[in-house]
Amino acid sequence: AGCGACCVAPSISSPIPGMPDGKPAGVRCIHLSVDALCALFGKPERPPVCSAFKAEVELCGDSRDSAIRMLGWLEQATV
């Protein structure tokens, strides 16, 4: 909670409310609040890819910077 790296680093190819073409990698989702929480969390309009993401220490590391680096690396490795 309060990291938000998964709302910035990866691309999202499915439509998001207010972002009909999805979100490019490295671009902050418009639903990420100033305190780095998802404003769509728990709502039916939240994209399935976001709902399916499970933050894990192995994936995110121990800081936001670490998570940004790892998720960015995964984004590049899967393009």
Side-chain angles (χ1 to χ4, degrees), residues 1-2 11-13 15 18 20-21 24 30 33 38 44-45 47 57 59 61 71 74 79:
S11 61
I12 298 175
S13 58
D21 297 323
I30 63 172
S33 70
C38 176
E45 59 269 24
V57 173
L59 179 63
L71 292 171
L74 285 171
V79 173

Side-chain angles (χ1 to χ4, degrees), residues 34-56:
V34 294
D35 53 350
L37 298 173
C38 176
L40 295 179
F41 190 84
K43 295 183 178 180
E45 59 269 24
R46 187 175 185 215
V49 67
C50 299
S51 297
F53 179 78
K54 304 296 181 224
E56 300 284 340

